[in-house]
Amino acid sequence: MRAIIFDFFGTLTDPSAELLRKETIQATAAELGVSPERFWTAMAASFPDRIVGAYGGTRDTLRTIARQCGTDPDDERLDRAVATHRKGAERVRTPRRGVLAVLDHLRARNFRLGLISDCSSELFEAWPETAYAPRIDAPVFSWQERIRKPDPRLYATAAARLGVPAAECWFVGDGGSREHDGARWAGMRPVLVTNAGYPGVGGLRTDPDSYLPEHRIDELDELIRLLGPSHDNG
Ligand SMILES: [Mg+2]
């Protein structure tokens, strides 16, 4: 195995940070002058379309959703809302404890590292300035590709950008969106991160996987043991 492709939310990020999602969206609503509950509902309903780019970038998205909620924000208000929204998104993508050291360790062992994320505009726009970016060789975003998991083209794109055959890639994720089904169809070797140490977080998941991978770890740093003794992957 020469490459490892990660899911993003709940896999590289702190699973507990998912609990902040609602309050950060509602802070954006307050800046827009929209009812927080109504805005949260509209954001949730638009999620499937937002993650395949149908609402465009963050600024356009917030304006469109605000209008759906009956408010047409002026430019100044929209600027403040975008800034607040970006700060909120940054909190939701707080790195999981120890994750950067794990990625550095894997890079030092010459694994090629990829990412497949079902994400809206916020992550794509902020990616280059995150601590993840310099550690991931090939990030693949649903927002940019305009397709979502488990579409096999996302997995094929990640493998191609890494320059590694799918059969030589692990796929590591906390499940949801049938991402492990997608990985095995693609010929990758799936690993489930159970997040057993984060009770109450898994209940937030929509679209759970029915397929349970053979390889399961509770915490991301267990991946190092799962991959076996250090050897030259170059
Ligand atoms: Mg996830």
Side-chain angles (χ1 to χ4, degrees):
M1 305 302 276
R2 295 168 50 212
I4 308 165
I5 297 169
F6 294 94
D7 164 55
F8 188 64
F9 292 104
T11 299
L12 296 184
T13 69
D14 181 346
S16 307
E18 290 297 316
L19 301 169
L20 302 170
R21 214 176 261 281
K22 187 166 184 177
E23 75 175 63
T24 62
I25 296 285
Q26 294 193 329
T28 304
E31 293 287 12
L32 288 167
V34 175
S35 148
E37 274 307 319
R38 199 168 168 190
F39 190 72
W40 167 251
T41 302
M43 286 292 275
S46 60
F47 176 76
D49 293 322
R50 287 190 292 111
I51 64 170
V52 292
Y55 280 72
T58 298
R59 190 182 172 85
D60 287 340
T61 299
L62 296 186
R63 182 168 38 219
T64 301
I65 304 286
R67 284 177 180 164
Q68 285 176 8
C69 294
T71 300
D72 197 359
D74 60 26
D75 281 347
E76 206 176 306
R77 184 147 230 179
L78 196 54
D79 285 343
R80 286 202 307 270
V82 168
T84 297
H85 192 70
R86 288 192 170 138
K87 279 197 204 111
E90 190 176 347
R91 292 175 70 202
V92 174
R93 64 171 180 265
T94 299
R96 175 193 280 273
R97 189 180 52 237
V99 66
L100 302 178
V102 170
L103 296 177
D104 288 341
H105 173 93
L106 297 172
R107 292 180 66 81
R109 282 175 58 178
N110 289 322
F111 281 105
R112 299 274 288 152
L113 303 185
L115 179 95
I116 301 176
S117 180
D118 272 4
C119 65
S120 42
S121 56
E122 300 86 342
L123 181 62
F124 174 80
E125 291 169 0
W127 182 258
E129 68 207 45
T130 67
Y132 307 100
R135 296 172 166 91
I136 298 289
D137 301 298
V140 176
F141 305 97
S142 64
W143 182 86
Q144 184 180 32
E145 303 299 325
R146 304 187 73 97
I147 45 177
R148 61 181 292 187
K149 297 171 189 170
D151 193 307
R153 289 172 291 177
L154 284 178
Y155 299 83
T157 298
R161 287 187 194 158
L162 289 169
V164 175
E168 294 176 32
C169 298
W170 295 88
F171 176 83
V172 180
D174 69 328
S177 313
R178 300 174 65 202
E179 63 183 6
H180 293 302
D181 261 337
R184 72 170 163 161
W185 297 334
M188 296 179 183
R189 194 178 297 178
V191 180
L192 173 66
V193 184
T194 68
N195 289 336
Y198 301 86
V201 173
L204 300 174
R205 176 165 305 134
T206 56
D207 197 12
D209 291 46
S210 53
Y211 162 63
L212 192 61
E214 172 196 346
H215 300 289
R216 295 188 281 272
I217 55 178
D218 289 339
E219 253 303 333
L220 201 68
D221 56 9
E222 294 167 39
L223 190 58
I224 291 168
R225 182 176 43 78
L226 179 68
L227 298 177
S230 189
H231 59 281
D232 182 6
N233 284 289

